């Protein structure tokens, strides 16, 4: 068991679970934030994907004047050179890896488990997925950045891991340059990132959801 609360939803309740997606929310949200996305992805009936939506603990967030809110780690400074609590990020990544292991223990092959995360959640997924000891299916990184790119210890099992990176060209919170930097960092680490930009702010668009669904189907296959 893990010490992190989760919401679970299965894309097809009439079939045995054959894949899992662990999906992390952004700053100030919770596990319910992305739950409505499940039917919008257009996954085939043959897929019985267990979606796991964890909720971050509530902590004081420096950039919000110490206000207590759900957060995967503290952020001390905004801007492209933002400062964050890397130890806190890695601690959250450890919790996500415990969720990965739980899915494996529940009978889902590790290569049919995906990580997805928005903003803060995406940063945690990149750290957790690339350093996990068993090969996973891939990572979906939405409107995010890669603050631990210089320090992450990539496990050999994740060699050339597929990563879908999506970002808004009008994002005022995390500029698109941060998403592009993440793509370059992933390439330098030997990953295979696919990048898509959308005319949107710090959000998720219908076109992006369509692309995510296509990418999931490509990864999980028939």
């Amino acid at each position: 068991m893990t010490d992190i609360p989760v919401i679970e939803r299965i894309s097809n309740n009439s079939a045995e679970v054959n894949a899992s997606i662990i999906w992390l929310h952004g700053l100030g949200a919770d596990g319910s934030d992305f739950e409505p996305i499940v039917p919008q992805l257009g996954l085939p009936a043959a897929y019985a994907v267990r979606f796991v939506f964890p909720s971050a603990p509530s902590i004081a967030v420096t950039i919000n004047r110490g206000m207590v809110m759900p957060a995967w780690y503290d952020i001390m400074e905004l801007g492209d050179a933002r400062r964050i609590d890397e130890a806190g990020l890695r601690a959250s990544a450890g919790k996500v890896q415990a969720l990965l292991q739980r899915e494996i223990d529940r009978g889902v092959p590790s290569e049919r488990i995906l990580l997805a995360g928005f903003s803060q959640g995406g940063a945690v997924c990149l750290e957790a997925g690339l350093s996990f000891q068993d090969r996973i299916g891939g990572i979906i990184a939405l409107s995010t950045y890669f603050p631990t790119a210089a320090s992450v210890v990539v496990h050999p099992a994740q060699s050339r891991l597929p990563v879908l990176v999506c970002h808004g060209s009008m994002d005022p919170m995390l500029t698109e340059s941060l998403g592009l930097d993440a793509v370059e960092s992933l390439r330098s680490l030997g990953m295979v990132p696919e990048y898509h930009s959308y005319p949107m702010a710090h959000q998720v668009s219908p076109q992006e959801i369509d692309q995510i669904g296509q990418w999931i189907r490509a990864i999980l296959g028939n």
Side-chain angles (χ1 to χ4, degrees), residues 56-102:
S58 292
I59 63 172
V61 178
T62 302
I63 59 167
N64 288 337
R65 300 182 179 180
M67 184 182 297
V68 175
M69 62 181 61
W72 297 109
Y73 52 87
D74 189 21
I75 302 173
M76 283 78 81
E77 184 179 340
L78 290 175
D80 287 359
R82 61 185 51 210
R83 290 189 302 115
I84 70 159
D85 174 15
E86 289 197 15
L89 187 155
R90 285 190 289 271
S92 289
K95 294 179 180 181
V96 172
Q97 290 179 336
L99 291 174
L100 283 168
Q101 187 59 53
R102 188 180 74 152

Side-chain angles (χ1 to χ4, degrees), residues 10 12-16 45 48:
I10 300 174
N12 180 2
N13 285 307
S14 65
E16 184 177 352

